[in-house]
């Protein structure tokens, strides 16, 4: 129970940091509110690409967690009206292992992580401080 509570706290902290970065960078970020699609974040028109970035936050980068994230992202995208314009990403609290990055890259999922201050996002898509 204590581990679950700590994991939830870390997830909330990551969510708040992502929303703060988005606000400072003037990004439009939605959170899933439909019970069938409770995704963590959808960044609309990220990097001015006309595409959206569906982001799943994970508190660790174990292979089982990475596999779970891929399944969640595919299911959430399947339910999105503009699914053809939705890219997928997993956001971690720190740089994941090379094995995790290789797996996620292989299946076409972008890999993101917070910098040490949690004020910027690095990886396949950088969301810098503003």
């Amino acid at each position: 129970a204590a581990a679950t509570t700590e994991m939830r706290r870390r997830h909330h902290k990551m969510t708040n940091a992502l929303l703060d970065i988005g606000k400072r960078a003037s990004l439009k970020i939605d959170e899933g509110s439909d019970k069938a699609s409770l995704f963590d974040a959808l960044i609309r028109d990220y990097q001015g690409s006309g595409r959206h970035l569906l982001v799943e936050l994970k508190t660790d980068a174990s292979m089982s967690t990475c596999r779970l994230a891929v399944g969640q992202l595919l299911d959430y995208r399947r339910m999105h009206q503009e699914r053809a314009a939705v890219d997928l990403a997993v956001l971690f609290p720190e740089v994941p292992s090379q094995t995790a990055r290789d797996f996620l890259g292989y299946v076409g999922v972008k890999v993101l992580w917070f910098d040490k201050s949690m004020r910027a996002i690095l990886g396949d898509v950088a969301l810098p401080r503003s």
Side-chain angles (χ1 to χ4, degrees), residues 2 21 27 35 51 54-55 83 96 113 125 128 130:
I21 290 166
L27 298 172
K35 283 188 178 186
R51 298 188 59 78
L54 186 58
V55 181
R83 64 182 150 269
W113 60 87
V125 176
S130 314

Side-chain angles (χ1 to χ4, degrees), residues 7 10 14 57-69 90-104 111-113:
M7 196 168 60
R10 192 171 196 187
M14 291 172 65
L57 281 70
K58 291 298 178 193
T59 59
D60 74 82
S62 66
M63 286 308 295
S64 59
T65 298
C66 292
R67 290 182 191 109
L68 176 65
V90 181
L91 175 58
F92 299 101
E94 61 244 346
V95 181
S97 70
Q98 188 63 53
T99 302
R101 292 189 310 238
D102 289 346
F103 166 70
L104 291 167
V111 181
L112 312 175
W113 60 87

Side-chain angles (χ1 to χ4, degrees), residues 74-119:
L74 291 172
D75 192 38
Y76 297 149
R77 178 170 63 186
R78 175 183 66 89
M79 291 184 262
H80 196 278
Q81 290 179 343
E82 300 174 72
R83 64 182 150 269
V86 175
D87 296 328
L88 307 175
V90 181
L91 175 58
F92 299 101
E94 61 244 346
V95 181
S97 70
Q98 188 63 53
T99 302
R101 292 189 310 238
D102 289 346
F103 166 70
L104 291 167
Y106 177 77
V107 297
V109 174
K110 297 178 185 316
V111 181
L112 312 175
W113 60 87
F114 286 103
D115 72 349
K116 288 187 189 277
S117 70
M118 292 187 78
R119 293 183 49 83

